[in-house]
């Protein structure tokens, strides 16, 4: 078993796509509307699969999805592991993302809906 995808609920899917792709640099793997594939959900439901560069695990950004009954902003402590915490933090700040101070090799930031991400420097082998 391996974790493949984590849900991240948002209020505005287009704003979320700009944040994750343009500011964080995630890859947009797909942008789909489940109703187009015969899934019985409201036409408004849309899903984005986004993957950080070099990661095997993606996030599923979705809005108003009855199959994922989470409130926007409720995802917490999603870890993004980096080699150099200071460098990664500085890069995000330069892209307009507010990132907390580094404490114990960790710096926290939020997406536009308040979903929480932790930059975590990898532990030495």
């Amino acid at each position: 078993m391996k974790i493949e995808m984590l849900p991240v609920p948002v209020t505005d899917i287009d704003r979320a796509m700009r944040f994750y792709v343009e500011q964080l640099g995630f890859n947009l793997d797909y942008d789909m509307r489940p109703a187009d594939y015969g899934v019985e959900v409201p036409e408004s439901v849309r899903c984005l699969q986004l993957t950080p560069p070099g990661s095997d695990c993606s996030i599923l950004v979705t809005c108003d999805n009855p199959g994922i009954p989470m409130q926007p902003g409720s995802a917490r402590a999603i870890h993004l592991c980096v080699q150099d915490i200071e460098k990664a933090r500085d890069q995000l700040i330069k892209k307009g993302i507010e990132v907390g101070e580094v404490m114990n090799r960790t710096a926290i930031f939020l997406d536009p809906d308040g979903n929480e991400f932790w930059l975590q420097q990898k532990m030495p082998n």
Side-chain angles (χ1 to χ4, degrees):
M1 272 187 249
K2 68 179 186 173
I3 295 174
E4 195 71 28
M5 198 170 344
L6 300 170
V8 176
V10 299
T11 56
D12 182 327
I13 204 103
D14 290 314
R15 178 181 70 181
M17 183 164 35
R18 286 188 303 274
F19 176 79
Y20 287 103
V21 173
E22 295 172 15
Q23 289 185 274
L24 281 180
F26 284 23
N27 298 311
L28 175 61
D29 302 322
Y30 73 81
D31 177 353
M32 58 97 68
R33 295 180 188 278
D36 293 346
Y37 297 91
V39 179
E40 293 186 30
V41 294
E43 290 286 325
S44 63
V45 174
R46 189 167 151 206
C47 300
L48 306 175
Q49 180 177 337
L50 299 155
T51 306
S55 180
D56 288 332
C57 185
S58 302
I59 60 171
L60 177 68
V61 174
T62 189
C63 184
D64 299 325
N65 190 333
I68 302 175
M70 295 171 64
Q71 293 299 311
S74 63
R76 290 283 176 262
I78 297 174
H79 283 56
L80 298 171
C81 292
V82 297
Q83 294 293 328
D84 182 333
I85 188 73
E86 295 292 346
K87 182 178 177 183
R89 180 178 180 272
D90 289 345
Q91 288 173 340
L92 293 183
I93 290 171
K94 286 178 184 170
K95 292 182 179 184
I97 298 172
E98 290 184 32
V99 184
E101 295 297 322
V102 175
M103 294 178 59
N104 299 320
R105 291 191 296 270
T106 303
I108 298 172
F109 68 93
L110 306 175
D111 77 358
D113 283 288
N115 294 298
E116 182 185 81
F117 289 82
W118 294 19
L119 284 178
Q120 176 74 52
Q121 185 167 314
K122 289 184 175 184
M123 298 291 285
N125 291 335

